[in-house]
Amino acid sequence: FILERREFAERNELKLGIIGQYADVLRELAERCKTFESHDSVRISVESVRSWLLQFAAEEIPLAVRMLSAVRFWGRSALSDALAFAVGGRYPGGFQALGLGAQTSSGPHLAYLWDDIRAKVGSGFRVIGSASEIQSNLPMVIYDDNVGSGGQASTVFSQWFGITNSDSDIEEEHVAPLAQQDIEKLRSIPILLVFATGFRGGLAKISERLTELTGNADIHGLIIDPGDLSCFRPAARVFSEPGDAGRAERAFANAGRIAIHDKALEKHWPSEKIDDRILGYGNAGGLTVFHYNVPTTTVTALWSTSHSEGAKWTR
């Protein structure tokens, strides 16, 4: 036991020595992500990042630090500015804004951002809490923080219409069917789908789905900062050498497998489902972090649970 503990201490001492070489990088990361709020109100700090890095082998730590340096953190000001950019000057006569999904999902949760946006674009819009409040005389902006594969949003649209597409919808209950008069409004008003970040393929999927359901030809979509590339692809420019990217991918796959082990065990996930989530949902390899949670497409080793504005998020 003593020999094992000594070996463990020496191994951690070696790792801490390597991590110490990146003190400036860790301080910059902690400062950049300082508004992130974890489930137990612990902020991201140099100490917490250092502790997180210890899960990696000594030779993997420089690769993990490089990944952390590439994290795309979205604070409140960045998200509100993204939405302001999307709607600024687009609808001079006003519009209505609706968060995508159920009241417990991220879209409606972000309604408070519109208070910030008024200072940038004026107050000529109204924020509605559900699709049942749609007005027939105003264009509608449907917004959310991130779009991944588009499965969840497509499911919301299907449930609005009281139907199910077994080929694309997911087995989750999000919203109640709309009244016929509200469905008719969706068929006739201009609709803009807005996301801060995400996959363009996912946006195309949900735009096509909503167009198919409504028959509305005036449906458009916008992603402010698309993030289609896995961070392990050379085109993402996180790793300059393919060998480094491959080693980092293997290291983060191991870390992701450990991170979801308990949940996978509790939910009785088959091995195929686990293998599809060790680098983010669909192994997307994303590096987006919001100040209240992370998208499921973000690398699994970075997933977190947090409370923000009284709402609980688990990713």
Side-chain angles (χ1 to χ4, degrees):
F1 173 78
I2 292 173
L3 289 174
E4 288 177 354
R5 292 298 298 173
R6 181 183 298 169
E7 182 182 357
F8 175 80
E10 289 174 349
R11 188 164 61 245
N12 268 10
E13 186 176 352
L14 172 62
K15 291 181 183 180
L16 288 170
I18 297 171
I19 294 170
Q21 299 173 26
Y22 299 98
D24 291 342
V25 178
L26 268 57
R27 279 194 293 269
E28 188 277 333
L29 176 73
E31 176 63 24
R32 184 157 48 95
C33 303
K34 64 183 179 181
T35 58
F36 180 82
E37 185 178 353
S38 74
H39 69 287
D40 51 5
S41 299
V42 175
R43 304 287 185 177
I44 291 178
S45 64
V46 171
E47 291 72 23
S48 64
V49 177
R50 184 187 294 118
S51 177
W52 179 85
L53 285 168
L54 287 174
Q55 70 181 297
F56 296 97
E59 65 274 12
E60 296 168 348
I61 289 174
L63 302 175
V65 172
R66 197 179 308 175
M67 284 268 292
L68 292 178
S69 300
V71 163
R72 299 159 73 145
F73 182 76
W74 289 78
R76 174 171 177 163
S77 61
L79 279 170
S80 60
D81 188 56
L83 288 176
F85 173 82
V87 302
R90 187 179 293 268
Y91 299 117
F95 62 91
Q96 51 197 327
L98 172 67
L100 179 60
Q103 289 303 311
T104 55
S105 60
S106 55
H109 162 74
L110 294 174
Y112 65 88
L113 293 176
W114 293 99
D115 292 334
D116 304 344
I117 295 166
R118 293 183 194 280
K120 300 175 182 287
V121 303
S123 57
F125 61 86
R126 64 190 298 264
V127 181
I128 58 178
S130 71
S132 61
E133 302 174 30
I134 297 172
Q135 290 187 355
S136 58
N137 61 337
L138 287 175
M140 184 162 67
V141 175
I142 301 177
Y143 64 93
D144 204 350
D145 49 18
N146 180 77
V147 56
S149 65
Q152 189 175 78
S154 294
T155 302
V156 169
F157 297 152
S158 294
Q159 290 174 1
W160 276 351
F161 282 75
I163 63 177
T164 299
N165 184 336
S166 57
D167 294 330
S168 60
D169 293 348
I170 56 181
E171 295 181 3
E172 294 178 359
E173 194 67 34
H174 290 281
V175 293
L178 293 177
Q180 188 59 40
Q181 61 265 28
D182 295 320
I183 288 177
E184 293 305 317
K185 295 172 187 175
L186 287 173
R187 299 186 194 280
S188 60
I189 59 176
I191 298 174
L192 177 67
L193 302 166
V194 175
F195 300 89
T197 186
F199 298 159
R200 281 170 282 204
L203 176 60
K205 175 181 177 179
I206 64 175
S207 297
E208 291 169 5
R209 181 63 174 151
L210 189 56
T211 299
E212 174 190 353
L213 289 167
T214 62
N216 188 340
D218 197 356
I219 295 177
H220 304 279
L222 175 66
I223 301 176
I224 306 302
D225 185 19
D228 297 280
L229 292 174
S230 165
C231 63
F232 303 109
R233 297 192 61 159
R237 293 163 296 154
V238 176
F239 301 100
S240 56
E241 297 294 332
D244 287 346
R247 285 189 290 274
E249 185 171 10
R250 289 189 291 274
F252 274 85
N254 290 334
R257 196 178 297 277
I258 293 170
I260 62 173
H261 175 269
D262 290 346
K263 182 174 183 179
L265 194 64
E266 176 190 351
K267 301 291 186 180
H268 305 291
W269 286 1
S271 58
E272 296 81 7
K273 185 171 183 177
I274 296 172
D275 291 342
D276 189 54
R277 283 160 172 74
I278 56 177
L279 293 170
Y281 186 84
N283 290 325
L287 290 179
T288 296
V289 175
F290 297 113
H291 64 279
Y292 44 86
N293 77 344
V294 296
T296 55
T297 50
T298 293
V299 170
T300 310
L302 296 175
W303 286 9
S304 177
T305 302
S306 70
H307 284 296
S308 181
E309 302 290 325
K312 183 178 180 181
W313 305 90
T314 302
R315 287 286 186 268

